Amino acid sequence: MPDDALDLLQGTLEVLVLRALAGEPMHGYGIVQWLRSRTDGVLQVQDAALYQALRRMERKKWVEAEWAVTENNRRARYYALTPLGRTQLGRESAAWHRYAEAMFKVLTPAPGEPA
Amino acid sequence: MSAFARFPRRFRLPWRSPERIDREVDEEIAFHLDMRTDALIAEGVDPAEARARARREFGDVEEAGGSLRGADRAIEERRRRIEWLHELGMDLRFALRALRRGRGATLSAVLALGLGIGAATAVFSLVNWIELRPVPGVADPESLVLVQMRDESDGNTTGLSHPNLLDLRRGSSALRSLAGYEGIALQVAIDGAAPMGLMGAAVAGGYFSTLGLQAAGGRLLSREEEDSPIPGYEAVISHHLWRTLFGSDTHVAGRRIRLNGIDFNVVGVAPDGFRGTERLGETDVWVPGSAYSVLRHEDHWSLQDRGRKFLFEFVGRLQPGATPELAEQQLRATMDRLVKAYPEVNEIYSSYLPTVFPGIGLNVLAREHVRRTLLLMTGIVAMLLLIAWANVANLLLLRGVRRRGETAVRRALGASTARLLRSYLVEGVLLSLAGGAVGLLFGVAASRLFQGKQMGWLPEIDHIGLDWRVMGFVLGASLLSGAFFGMVPLWATQRENFLHHLKEASRTGTGRVTWLRGGLIVAQVTSATVLLVAALMLARTLHALSAVSTGFDASGVVAFMVDPSDLGYDSLQNRAFRAQLRERLIETPGFETVSVASSSPFSGGFMKFRLRPANAPDATPVEAYEFSASPEIFRTFRIPLLAGRGLASNGGDDEVVINRTLARQLFGSANPLGRTILGPKFGGPAAALYTVVGIVGDTRVQDLRSPEPDPVIYRPISALEAWRSVSLFLVRSSRPPSDVEATVRNAVAAIEPSLAIWNAEAVPASVADTISEERLLARMAILLAALAGLLAAVGLYAVVSYSVAQRTREIGIRMALGARMGAIVRLVSRGAAALVAAGIGLGTVIAVVGSRILENRLFGVERLDPMVYAAAAALFAIAAAAALWGPVRAAGGVQPTEALRQE
């Protein structure tokens, strides 16, 4: 685990999982791998917390789970986005974009200002 | 990757068991750890180290497993619930569609059920009103008991003085408290308003605290006030009186109320609905024990006088854990000591023993009788409900058979028995709830029929309220019916080879269904026959009772009570008042006679005199009803004078007139005129001699059922007046009762403005009152028997028409093969006739056995009167024949060619 890994803010994990599942259904380990590769290891998720988040999202009907067989012929529990989950992803990513932009604007030094 | 995500799911996933959930969580975590371990090994980490690192990275594996398992179970649970609701919704839609499709059958089922449940609801609401509901405002009614001083040998009761009450209570540790009370007739008035005659009660020993009542306004009487020997002029009024007389004045505490001409202070209002310890109570005012003598204008005797018994009813509260038996035991032991300690005044209590009755709300003396009557009513409506159930079950059965194909398809598509059962249950419950709703409306309307009726000698039922018990009853009856009906169609088709129905779409009933259908028909006919027998017996009884001659003519006679002694008049003033009132009334056009008497016929207020001829000490005494009256009484009731003369207005107190029956019982065929009779004397143990001056015609004044008229002895009113005040007036006039009442009211007000008149009513009404319970029962039985017959006939009609429709082809073939009309009619009606005959037979047997219940109510008809049973059988046979007529004709009219072309 790199030293500069960031702890996730509360509620952030769910957006990341939604995004991970936007492409295709994945099992829990796959989601971890995906997050690691997409953020170059900057965002670290504790595995146990990920599975808890998946249960929460299952209860909110954002994801559905089903057992399927992996490429290596092992049984794994796959999670897929529901239509509700997809809507939620759209809503949350828009909010994150606005938030990040605002943060960025505040933190970027104006011309002539010391950084 | 599976394709499941691409398609919205249309089918339910199988439920996951808790064990499976646990297994799957373990598997999921294991999979994760394996994958991570493999990845680390691929990076070159030592395998043991790789596994440890995977576990470390995961977090607390055990704890995570536990919480995931919990979360999964919760998710699964929720999913099941949602699924269940979803399916219920489907079932509901399905049921509504099915009920709409068979609109005719649905409607008749709802109506039949509505009738059954409605009748049951009406009777239940009556039972609830009289027997079940709590007395309003009373706390913890289970630990309350009623106590009476009762002579077991004849059921008579006596009262207690205040010191005896207090001593009794002190000697009984099983009772936390014991309060006594006694009713007082009150002339109630507030400033400017006309006086009213109401019932009040003097209370002692902690009446309000024993009952645990909370004042609706102001305060109630404390135990100290109730027991204080210094007359307290405080009064608690009923919520009813507060509304009607005080216009719901919120500052009523401290206002004046005039009771029997004496000013009292209203201290508070009793809880809404509380009118005494009885559910049908009519008490409106409560005063402390010491006010009793004040209100009765008796020379003030002290509450502390042990010999002055004035409390006749008692209510006690048991200590936690104590039983009524224990309380009774202790009370009797205490009473025994009190008899020994004060023999001169307490001797009477060696035969009148304290007797404890659990529970309050219903008069102890009325309990047995009322319970029997209510039980009989319950039995009658239960029969009707049974018929309605059988009726609806049969309808559903027919439909279930018709829907076999549908059931088979659903089974083939994988519906489990449980799933089908639920779907039918939903349909049954829906149907029953509709029936229950109709039943509730019908029942509430029908319960009005009980208004103004009397049972035994309970007060009239003014209205019957609805509460959650009645609602619960209707709901319970509906749900129970629904559950029953839900089973029927499934039961009819269960365990049959559904593939058979799928292929053949067979439409004829199989053995099992035919059997059940037959059984339901027999059940209906049986119940209808039993009801019919009961109705005929009660109707004959009513008819016979109405035909009994009373021997007097009360048409046009109005009775009313007015008692100036309430206001403290002595007997001389009373007599003057009466003369004045009589004079005023008799001047009124249309008033023929005005008389006073000790009581009016059938009021139950008679004394019984034990008499024997004066010169025959060995003769067996004869019991006769005593009637003190003014001379006009014979004209008022048009009782013929047979010999001698009537009572004289200035004759001696020892002159009496007797009726023919009494004359015969006392003197046989000898001439009774001028003979002397030995009998009791008012107001003392001494005997008196009476001289017979006249013989009048026979009358019935108390008992309509006895084989011969009641023996009656008439005495001059002056004899009674020497002993107590006389208050009952009887007026014969040609004017309507309301008119008479108004005239009387005005006349009384002109003489004494603060005097109210009581209970003005036409006397014939009170004669009718004596058989009001018989009338009520008979009418109810007749109405319900008619409904039962109708329902059973309609049920028969439906089943036979259905079977004819099913057998059209068979009938067609038979006709084509040359069967005659008669043979076809026999074919169709034989089965039905056998069922009806079986039902009538079974019903007759049950009625013969069950008629025992009715035995002591019957009059003019024997319990086993063959005519009644024959008439019931014949009536129902006619109804059945009428029901069969249509379908049988239809069978006879089948055209062979068309019938054969049908399939």
Side-chain angles (χ1 to χ4, degrees):
Chain A
M1 198 180 285
D3 284 346
D4 55 350
L6 296 171
D7 282 339
L8 287 177
L9 293 167
Q10 186 68 32
T12 315
L13 180 54
E14 292 181 2
V15 197
L16 294 176
V17 173
L18 285 174
R19 177 67 190 87
L21 295 175
E24 57 174 7
M26 281 192 231
H27 45 66
Y29 182 73
I31 297 171
V32 174
Q33 290 296 99
W34 186 89
L35 283 178
R36 195 166 291 165
S37 66
R38 276 297 284 263
T39 65
D40 301 324
V42 172
L43 289 184
Q44 284 287 313
V45 183
Q46 201 213 25
D47 301 334
L50 170 78
Y51 285 101
Q52 308 271 26
L54 282 168
R55 293 308 190 275
R56 274 200 305 278
M57 294 163 71
E58 208 180 333
R59 190 172 312 167
K60 288 190 261 188
K61 295 216 155 94
W62 293 352
V63 301
E64 268 183 333
E66 183 139 323
W67 287 88
V69 177
T70 67
E71 287 122 9
N72 303 332
N73 242 356
R74 273 197 69 166
R75 248 165 64 85
R77 204 165 189 240
Y78 277 84
Y79 295 87
L81 225 51
T82 64
L84 195 65
R86 207 166 285 284
T87 316
Q88 186 65 18
L89 173 62
R91 199 178 297 149
E92 297 226 353
S93 54
W96 268 102
H97 275 299
R98 277 202 309 280
Y99 178 70
E101 249 171 59
M103 286 296 284
F104 191 72
K105 270 185 199 158
V106 170
L107 297 178
T108 309
E113 197 182 4
Chain B
M1 127 96 233
S2 82
F4 82 92
R6 309 259 157 81
F7 302 96
R9 245 193 4 237
R10 289 295 181 210
F11 292 94
R12 191 189 67 202
L13 292 172
W15 302 127
R16 297 197 291 158
S17 68
E19 296 75 35
R20 190 168 147 201
I21 289 173
D22 294 355
R23 251 195 340 267
E24 288 188 355
V25 166
D26 290 344
E27 193 181 341
E28 187 174 21
I29 295 175
F31 171 80
H32 185 104
L33 295 176
D34 288 352
M35 293 297 282
R36 183 63 183 150
T37 309
D38 290 352
L40 288 170
I41 292 171
E43 283 171 24
V45 182
D46 167 67
E49 167 62 14
R51 174 144 295 271
R53 236 174 87 183
R55 283 182 78 85
R56 219 171 29 247
E57 280 178 21
F58 192 90
D60 188 334
V61 175
E62 296 307 315
E63 195 199 286
S67 79
L68 291 184
R69 275 192 280 274
D72 272 2
R73 283 183 194 195
I75 290 169
E76 189 72 12
E77 190 62 34
R78 214 171 88 128
R79 191 177 293 156
R80 273 189 206 209
R81 263 203 310 273
I82 289 168
E83 189 82 19
W84 191 88
L85 280 175
H86 176 70
E87 280 180 8
L88 188 67
M90 279 182 12
D91 285 342
L92 273 174
R93 277 197 300 277
F94 187 82
L96 278 174
R97 215 160 45 222
L99 291 175
R100 250 202 322 265
R101 212 164 39 220
R103 207 165 299 147
T106 304
L107 199 68
S108 56
V110 166
L111 274 181
L113 208 55
L115 282 180
I117 294 183
T121 304
V123 167
F124 181 80
S125 62
L126 180 69
V127 172
N128 179 47
W129 200 244
I130 294 179
E131 276 268 16
L132 299 179
R133 75 189 160 107
V135 178
V138 170
D140 188 18
E142 286 76 27
S143 63
L144 289 174
V145 292
L146 291 178
V147 182
Q148 288 192 332
M149 303 302 131
R150 192 174 162 97
D151 184 344
E152 301 289 358
S153 66
D154 55 10
N156 284 340
T157 62
T158 191
L160 285 180
S161 65
H162 191 244
N164 276 336
L165 170 69
L166 298 185
D167 286 345
L168 256 192
R169 132 103 195 80
R170 267 194 285 271
S172 315
S173 59
L175 287 174
R176 196 156 61 184
S177 60
L178 180 65
Y181 50 103
E182 174 63 1
I184 314 173
L186 291 179
Q187 302 277 340
V188 177
I190 56 171
D191 330 307
M196 292 192 298
L198 294 176
M199 275 316 291
V203 300
Y207 179 82
F208 290 105
S209 54
T210 299
L211 293 173
L213 296 172
Q214 300 294 323
R219 62 177 181 85
L220 303 175
L221 295 172
S222 70
R223 194 174 151 195
E224 288 67 36
E225 286 171 306
E226 290 178 21
D227 286 340
S228 164
I230 301 151
Y233 294 89
E234 304 102 2
V236 170
I237 59 171
S238 70
H239 201 270
H240 171 78
L241 192 63
W242 176 62
R243 281 194 311 267
T244 51
L245 190 62
F246 289 95
S248 303
D249 176 10
T250 46
H251 301 293
V252 73
R255 278 186 65 175
R256 286 270 173 82
I257 185 168
R258 226 174 151 72
L259 304 176
N260 284 356
I262 301 157
D263 279 340
F264 275 67
N265 280 320
V266 174
V267 294
V269 180
D272 192 4
F274 180 80
R275 304 283 298 273
T277 55
E278 291 174 25
R279 293 187 189 88
L280 301 179
E282 292 175 324
T283 307
D284 275 314
V285 181
W286 294 268
V287 294
S290 55
Y292 182 84
S293 60
V294 174
L295 287 170
R296 300 272 304 230
H297 301 280
E298 294 170 359
D299 290 337
H300 181 61
W301 40 267
S302 167
L303 210 55
Q304 284 138 326
D305 182 353
R306 189 171 292 272
R308 189 60 177 82
K309 51 175 187 275
F310 72 103
L311 299 163
F312 281 75
E313 314 264 352
F314 307 92
V315 58
R317 189 176 288 281
L318 295 170
Q319 292 284 10
T323 61
E325 292 74 29
L326 178 65
E328 185 171 283
Q329 221 176 346
Q330 292 180 345
L331 286 171
R332 288 186 176 186
T334 312
M335 190 52 110
D336 203 39
R337 285 198 298 278
L338 290 174
V339 171
K340 293 199 179 86
Y342 310 97
E344 63 287 359
V345 285
N346 284 352
E347 180 50 43
I348 185 171
Y349 301 113
S350 39
S351 54
Y352 287 86
L353 303 177
T355 310
V356 176
F357 302 86
I360 63 166
L362 193 56
N363 189 300
V364 170
L365 299 174
R367 273 184 199 187
E368 274 306 302
H369 178 82
V370 167
R371 249 164 227 177
R372 271 201 298 273
T373 302
L374 291 177
L375 206 64
L376 184 61
M377 289 183 170
T378 307
I380 290 175
V381 294
M383 293 279 184
L384 187 71
L385 190 57
L386 204 68
I387 293 175
W389 271 346
N391 202 288
V392 176
N394 237 338
L395 275 174
L396 291 179
L397 202 56
L398 292 184
R399 199 154 65 178
V401 171
R402 222 172 286 154
R403 280 164 62 180
R404 257 188 216 173
E406 166 202 314
T407 308
V409 169
R410 291 178 74 182
R411 272 190 198 275
L413 286 177
S416 64
T417 300
R419 184 75 176 75
L420 278 179
L421 176 61
R422 203 181 68 182
S423 142
Y424 284 128
L425 275 182
V426 166
E427 198 174 323
V429 167
L430 215 58
L431 187 69
S432 304
L433 285 178
V438 172
L440 184 63
L441 292 179
F442 177 62
V444 169
S447 69
R448 298 234 173 106
L449 297 178
F450 297 124
Q451 273 173 29
K453 301 293 190 301
Q454 259 180 315
M455 271 204 277
W457 35 266
L458 289 184
E460 261 182 27
I461 297 158
D462 51 351
H463 83 292
I464 293 183
L466 283 181
D467 58 16
W468 59 266
R469 277 179 206 79
V470 178
M471 297 295 179
F473 175 84
V474 175
L475 193 66
S478 306
L479 291 180
L480 196 72
S481 322
F484 171 56
F485 298 148
M487 308 284 193
V488 170
L490 200 71
W491 194 82
T493 56
Q494 201 196 9
R495 276 191 264 144
E496 286 181 356
N497 184 351
F498 61 81
L499 279 179
H500 169 74
H501 298 300
L502 212 55
K503 271 193 302 215
E504 305 248 320
S506 162
R507 285 196 274 121
T508 44
T510 51
R512 185 177 192 148
V513 175
T514 314
W515 231 96
L516 178 59
R517 206 150 61 198
L520 289 170
I521 289 284
V522 171
Q524 290 184 63
V525 177
T526 303
S527 307
T529 306
V530 173
L531 262 183
L532 220 50
V533 168
L536 285 175
M537 284 186 172
L538 291 171
R540 288 266 305 260
T541 298
L542 181 63
H543 186 253
L545 282 176
S546 319
V548 171
S549 164
T550 57
F552 60 86
D553 174 9
S555 59
V557 179
V558 171
F560 64 92
M561 284 168 66
V562 53
D563 192 353
S565 70
D566 286 347
L567 299 179
Y569 281 39
D570 63 21
S571 78
L572 221 69
Q573 291 169 305
N574 252 341
R575 212 178 289 210
F577 169 83
R578 200 167 69 220
Q580 245 180 308
L581 181 59
R582 214 186 96 84
E583 220 162 282
R584 277 178 182 274
L585 290 180
I586 208 73
E587 281 167 8
T588 318
F591 279 55
E592 289 168 31
T593 65
V594 177
S595 42
V596 290
S598 48
S599 53
S600 73
F602 293 105
S603 62
F606 290 98
M607 274 196 291
K608 274 198 164 182
F609 265 29
R610 197 176 272 252
L611 306 168
R612 63 179 173 80
N615 52 1
D618 302 332
T620 9
V622 172
E623 287 216 318
Y625 292 105
E626 188 271 346
F627 210 71
S628 299
S630 56
E632 303 88 346
I633 195 72
F634 303 115
R635 283 208 293 131
T636 302
F637 282 123
R638 299 204 168 137
I639 299 170
L641 183 67
L642 301 179
R645 60 174 174 84
L647 297 167
S649 51
N650 51 0
D653 283 359
D654 62 340
E655 288 184 358
V656 294
V657 169
I658 60 179
N659 72 353
R660 190 153 58 176
T661 298
L662 181 58
R664 204 190 55 245
Q665 287 179 356
L666 283 172
F667 304 108
S669 52
N671 180 10
L673 287 181
R675 303 278 295 263
T676 48
I677 308 173
L678 190 67
K681 197 180 161 171
F682 283 131
L689 283 174
Y690 300 108
T691 308
V692 178
V693 299
I695 313 291
V696 293
D698 279 339
T699 51
R700 285 178 184 271
V701 293
Q702 179 89 332
D703 190 358
L704 286 174
R705 291 166 184 259
S706 63
E708 57 176 17
D710 301 316
V712 183
I713 178 168
Y714 299 89
R715 304 197 314 139
I717 195 72
S718 49
L720 176 67
E721 209 165 33
W723 183 57
R724 71 160 167 88
S725 69
V726 176
S727 55
L728 181 72
F729 283 72
L730 295 155
V731 174
R732 170 175 283 284
S733 79
S734 53
R735 315 217 343 233
S738 56
D739 213 14
V740 173
E741 188 185 337
T743 309
V744 169
R745 221 175 268 288
N746 291 338
V748 169
I751 306 167
E752 173 58 87
S754 53
L755 196 57
I757 71 168
W758 288 68
N759 299 344
E761 60 183 4
V763 174
S766 66
V767 174
D769 277 349
T770 67
I771 53 169
S772 83
E773 189 175 314
E774 284 89 347
R775 195 194 323 273
L776 178 64
L777 271 175
R779 285 188 179 165
M780 196 171 131
I782 292 167
L783 179 71
L784 295 192
L787 286 175
L790 190 71
L791 278 180
V794 167
L796 192 65
Y797 171 84
V799 169
V800 177
S801 332
Y802 176 76
S803 113
V804 167
Q806 292 311 315
R807 293 167 80 176
T808 306
R809 191 155 71 137
E810 179 196 340
I811 294 168
I813 291 172
R814 280 173 189 260
M815 284 182 130
L817 292 178
R820 297 189 174 233
M821 185 73 170
I824 299 297
V825 168
R826 265 199 305 280
L827 173 76
V828 173
S829 53
R830 199 172 41 209
L835 293 179
V836 170
I840 291 178
L842 191 58
T844 305
V845 172
I846 293 177
V848 165
V849 177
S851 57
R852 227 174 277 277
I853 301 167
L854 282 180
E855 195 161 24
N856 56 8
R857 292 180 189 273
L858 297 183
F859 179 74
V861 56
E862 287 296 314
R863 167 167 92 81
L864 297 177
D865 188 344
M867 284 302 290
V868 168
Y869 293 88
L875 266 176
F876 198 78
I878 292 169
L884 286 177
W885 176 247
V888 168
R889 257 180 65 116
V894 167
Q895 296 298 316
T897 44
E898 272 180 38
L900 290 175
R901 211 179 295 135
Q902 240 178 34
E903 301 213 2

